[in-house]
Amino acid sequence: MSHELSEQEIQRRQTLEQIRNAGIDPYPAALYPVTAYSTAIKNNFEEGKEVCLAGRLMSQRIMGKASFAEIQDAEGRIQVYFNRDEICPGEDKMLYNDLFKKWLDLGDFIGIKGTVFKTQVGEVSVHVKEFSLLSKSLKPLPLPKTDAEGKIHDAFTDPELRYRQRYVDLVVNPQVKDIFTKRTKLFNAMRQFFNDAGYMEVETPVLQAIPGGASARPFITHHNALDIPLYMRIANELYLKRLIVGGFDGVYEFSKNFRNEGMDRTHNPEFTAMEIYVSYKDYNWMMDFTERLLENCATAVNGTTEATFGAHNINFKAPYKRVTMRQSIIDFTGFDIDGKSEDELRAAALGMGIQVDETMGKGKLIDEIFGEKCEGNYIQPTFITDYPKEMSPLCKTHRDNPELTERFELMVCGKEVANAYSELNDPIDQRERFEEQLRLQEKGDDEAMFIDQDFLRALEYGMPPTSGLGIGMDRLIMYLTNNPSIQEVLFFPQMRPEKVVKVVLNENEQQLFDIVQKEQSMELAALKEKVTMSNKQWDTSIKTLTKNGLLKVMKTNDVLFVALV
RNA sequence: GAUUCCGUAGCUCAGCUGGUAGAGCAAUACACUUUUAAUGUAUGGGCCCUGGGUUCGAAUCCCAGCGGGAUCACCA
């Protein structure tokens, strides 16, 4: 990336030279023997304890021969105290007067050896005996400041910059680090819960020849050696079920899924789902399992089952309410979907002011009614059960009602967090459901599922009764950390690529470009005659210009021409 | 995709109905031996997102583009 350096960046490069000239390596190779962290020092105060710590220099308060500074390490910040005559006992005051006062910049990594003490105002600090530069920072950090009332000034808040330069966000905004610490705690707690239950973590393909297990538009890529298209997975469901067929009792996977759809504050093109499949269980068992799981995870992340999300207080304490989809629609619209035909459902939906069209089947219509009128009302964790068959092609038919499936979704704050089935294991039924999906596709539903023949073959060998559960991990962590947007819980959310920086031409390239610009187009040989540069210079210059799309070289009747693009 | 708001110094932002660029912090220099948004004095720092238009004159008004936010729509 080539662009003009700011005044401060030039200054920092100059100090870098001064440091080198003074015989100090600004990027030393040796390890630094850290023995202490900022918060540990503050929490277990021991007067006079010798410590060695390292981190970024985040503030400097210089008062002549004494100074205070703040060091930020992985845990937080601590104040350190510098005294000139202790750091430089002899005549040479360079370390303090030059290195510390002039050459260090905010953001530099330094190492400190010293003793713990309390200042007159009672702040736990480290009295520096020795310090060294560990790594020089060449770009100034944005520096928010907190005043006496705890108000933050000059906060680094622009979402674009925060997401594009998450490393800066993390350095400067400590609450951002917390979110990601909690995210990892959630994953660890969930893993622990599954492992304790005796289930096995597995890995299944990300590149799939048939993107199955969900209905969504996939990303397409190409395998050169096989010369076939491959798809980034939209779900891992069908592979985990193959493993159940293979004889595992319980398998789970944290799966990065990819969907080529819109992006907004709850959708990112790549996101993380957790799927778990357990044999010889049904969806009733899975509801019990899910509520215990989430109670456990919420406690592991926040120390309590309660969580705040915007205006809502949610409690993940088990058990959760269970409502059938039929009952839910009765509750919020007074309409009973039981036994109704497609036309009756369409008319009812229209009557509720819901937009419908001819491609919508029964399942889709019910889904629309539920989504429009009911979903948003479930703030506390609630299981919605028994979905219509049409919208659940991988789910077992309900034991009491052939129109329905044994499926539940867990709603929290009006949004789906988890989705689970008694898995369909009847291979003939499964084949028919896939064919039904094909018919929907022909009707114009561009999200209907593809048919995976190998998956059907696996089912034909026999899959034990199984229940499966999928959890949207990003959405769950949003609830547990009170963040309304998915970008806040992903380290690097998808962004449009940054604008290409303008090409900066050097003298030779500029000279070439100017000549061609005047002529518009000319023979390559003639152009080379006109300029005075070595063959090598000529070669690299012309290559830079063509590579950046400024000039092009064409061959007409065996004569090379150079022209403007 | 629709609506709406925003883009000015390294950071956060002001800049009125058009008159030629401002503050605080950060930076630089000097002073200062327990401060904590340290302080005091002085100094430097800008393609006002890009390109057009209106005008004697545009950061400001108009149009287009680029980038971003928010809301909505789409989305198992």
Side-chain angles (χ1 to χ4, degrees):
Chain A
M1 205 160 55
S2 51
H3 65 102
E4 303 276 311
L5 293 175
S6 71
E7 185 198 20
Q8 287 189 48
E9 288 173 298
I10 294 166
Q11 269 161 5
R12 286 191 180 204
R13 279 168 167 76
Q14 284 165 352
T15 29
L16 188 72
E17 276 320 295
Q18 289 179 294
I19 291 168
R20 286 212 165 98
N21 292 340
I24 298 168
D25 181 358
Y27 300 103
L31 71 78
Y32 195 75
V34 172
T35 62
Y37 286 96
S38 56
T39 40
I41 294 172
K42 286 194 276 192
N43 293 340
N44 315 300
F45 173 67
E46 267 183 75
E47 178 85 44
K49 187 184 179 189
E50 292 205 11
V51 290
C52 175
L53 72 157
R56 278 189 200 268
L57 181 68
M58 294 305 277
S59 78
Q60 255 179 320
R61 291 183 287 281
I62 297 172
M63 294 159 297
K65 300 186 187 83
S67 301
F68 287 91
E70 275 184 303
I71 302 291
Q72 175 171 302
D73 64 15
E75 308 244 300
R77 289 193 188 185
I78 189 163
Q79 177 169 269
V80 295
Y81 172 71
F82 285 80
N83 183 305
R84 187 191 72 185
D85 296 328
E86 291 181 53
I87 287 160
C88 313
E91 283 302 302
D92 180 10
K93 306 295 184 193
M94 183 270 272
L95 273 182
Y96 182 82
N97 283 346
D98 296 317
L99 181 59
F100 176 73
K101 277 171 65 173
K102 290 189 190 152
W103 298 340
L104 285 191
D105 289 298
L106 300 186
D108 290 355
F109 283 90
I110 59 172
I112 299 284
K113 287 177 189 159
T115 54
V116 178
F117 78 112
K118 246 183 208 167
T119 61
Q120 287 181 351
V121 274
E123 176 154 349
V124 177
S125 310
V126 175
H127 196 130
V128 180
K129 308 290 182 204
E130 271 177 56
F131 77 101
S132 50
L133 175 59
L134 300 179
S135 179
K136 185 92 189 106
S137 153
L138 292 182
K139 273 178 101 69
L141 287 166
L143 280 174
K145 291 211 159 191
T146 312
D147 66 16
E149 289 114 53
K151 267 209 325 224
I152 297 176
H153 299 256
D154 300 339
F156 181 62
T157 53
D158 182 341
E160 180 186 358
L161 290 174
R162 287 185 48 234
Y163 301 154
R164 284 196 196 281
Q165 303 185 33
R166 183 68 92 180
Y167 35 89
V168 174
D169 193 26
L170 288 163
V171 169
V172 141
N173 293 324
Q175 65 292 3
V176 173
K177 248 175 139 176
D178 282 349
I179 296 168
F180 293 99
T181 310
K182 287 183 169 181
R183 188 179 166 110
T184 295
K185 277 186 183 166
L186 172 67
F187 279 76
N188 289 344
M190 212 173 259
R191 259 196 190 98
Q192 191 66 46
F193 193 87
F194 295 150
N195 291 346
D196 288 348
Y199 306 137
M200 191 165 94
E201 182 163 12
V202 297
E203 292 181 285
T204 64
V206 172
L207 291 175
Q208 304 181 348
I210 295 165
S215 332
R217 234 163 316 190
F219 283 93
I220 306 174
T221 181
H222 184 260
H223 190 279
N224 288 340
L226 296 176
D227 193 23
I228 52 163
L230 284 177
Y231 302 88
M232 310 285 281
R233 72 173 161 207
I234 55 174
N236 58 349
E237 167 154 1
L238 302 186
Y239 283 93
L240 292 179
K241 285 182 182 173
R242 284 171 169 93
L243 296 179
I244 295 292
V245 169
F248 289 103
D249 231 14
V251 287
Y252 70 93
E253 179 177 20
F254 291 97
S255 165
K256 259 289 175 75
N257 295 340
F258 305 84
R259 297 189 182 175
N260 206 341
E261 288 166 352
M263 295 161 55
D264 59 32
R265 70 185 196 295
T266 55
H267 296 85
N268 195 62
E270 59 180 287
F271 65 99
T272 306
M274 190 294 306
E275 299 220 0
I276 180 166
Y277 291 80
V278 184
S279 53
Y280 310 115
K281 309 295 188 196
D282 65 3
Y283 80 139
N284 292 313
W285 177 88
M286 191 57 91
M287 276 189 260
D288 296 337
F289 186 73
T290 303
E291 58 196 15
R292 281 190 290 121
L293 170 72
L294 290 186
E295 177 177 335
N296 180 286
C297 288
T299 312
V301 170
N302 286 326
T304 162
T305 59
E306 285 173 47
T308 306
F309 187 72
H312 302 306
N313 279 308
I314 33 187
N315 194 340
F316 285 97
K317 179 113 188 90
Y320 306 155
K321 241 195 327 189
R322 302 178 184 191
V323 185
T324 64
M325 179 164 271
R326 178 188 164 200
Q327 188 58 49
S328 172
I329 292 175
I330 293 174
D331 288 348
F332 291 105
T333 69
F335 179 73
D336 188 352
I337 57 172
D338 192 38
K340 297 290 192 296
S341 71
E342 187 176 310
D343 288 338
E344 288 172 302
L345 287 169
R346 187 170 288 120
L350 271 175
M352 295 171 202
I354 297 169
Q355 283 202 336
V356 295
D357 63 64
E358 287 307 307
T359 72
M360 291 180 173
K362 265 170 96 165
K364 189 93 181 161
L365 287 166
I366 293 171
D367 187 41
E368 287 293 320
I369 296 173
F370 178 77
E372 203 62 36
K373 296 289 167 191
C374 311
E375 191 174 64
N377 296 304
Y378 296 104
I379 303 304
Q380 295 304 321
T382 307
F383 292 116
I384 303 298
T385 66
D386 302 345
Y387 282 61
K389 200 166 182 175
E390 234 179 279
M391 15 172 337
S392 316
L394 299 166
C395 183
K396 191 174 269 193
T397 307
H398 198 280
R399 60 194 82 178
D400 301 325
N401 182 342
E403 296 259 287
L404 303 178
T405 53
E406 297 211 347
R407 170 180 184 179
F408 73 79
E409 285 195 357
L410 179 66
M411 314 297 306
V412 179
C413 288
K415 292 257 179 191
E416 173 206 343
V417 167
N419 182 18
Y421 307 147
S422 296
E423 301 296 338
L424 178 55
N425 61 348
D426 174 343
I428 293 171
D429 191 358
Q430 181 68 79
R431 186 177 295 276
E432 283 166 5
R433 304 271 199 103
F434 276 146
E435 278 160 6
E436 174 62 20
Q437 289 290 305
L438 263 192
R439 279 193 289 279
L440 286 176
Q441 208 167 32
E442 279 152 18
K443 234 174 137 184
D445 187 346
D446 59 347
E447 275 163 6
M449 288 187 190
F450 297 76
I451 296 188
D452 185 334
Q453 296 292 348
D454 174 70
F455 172 67
L456 288 170
R457 177 168 60 192
L459 285 191
E460 284 168 7
Y461 281 105
M463 181 170 88
T466 299
S467 185
L469 165 75
I471 294 180
M473 297 301 288
D474 305 302
R475 210 165 271 180
L476 182 55
I477 199 63
M478 282 161 64
Y479 288 130
L480 291 175
T481 58
N482 192 14
N483 274 301
S485 90
I486 196 170
Q487 285 81 9
E488 291 294 340
V489 303
L490 299 171
F491 271 129
F492 304 104
Q494 192 57 243
M495 304 279 282
R496 198 182 292 273
E498 282 181 75
K499 215 182 356 187
V500 194
V501 282
K502 276 184 199 147
V503 189
V504 178
L505 302 179
N506 70 23
E507 239 175 272
N508 287 332
E509 293 152 1
Q510 193 64 56
Q511 194 191 346
L512 269 175
F513 186 67
D514 287 347
I515 296 170
V516 181
Q517 199 163 31
K518 234 180 279 168
E519 306 281 344
Q520 291 293 310
S521 169
M522 63 192 297
E523 278 190 42
L524 186 131
L527 176 63
K528 200 175 170 189
E529 285 291 328
K530 277 201 158 184
V531 295
T532 49
M533 50 181 89
S534 70
N535 281 336
K536 191 161 183 134
Q537 284 174 328
W538 156 262
D539 186 60
T540 49
S541 302
I542 199 88
K543 273 181 183 158
T544 311
L545 288 166
T546 50
K547 207 169 65 194
N548 287 306
L550 293 170
L551 297 182
K552 61 184 170 189
V553 180
M554 295 163 307
K555 197 171 187 180
T556 344
N557 303 328
D558 278 348
V559 184
L560 288 170
F561 283 90
V562 182
L564 285 177
V565 172

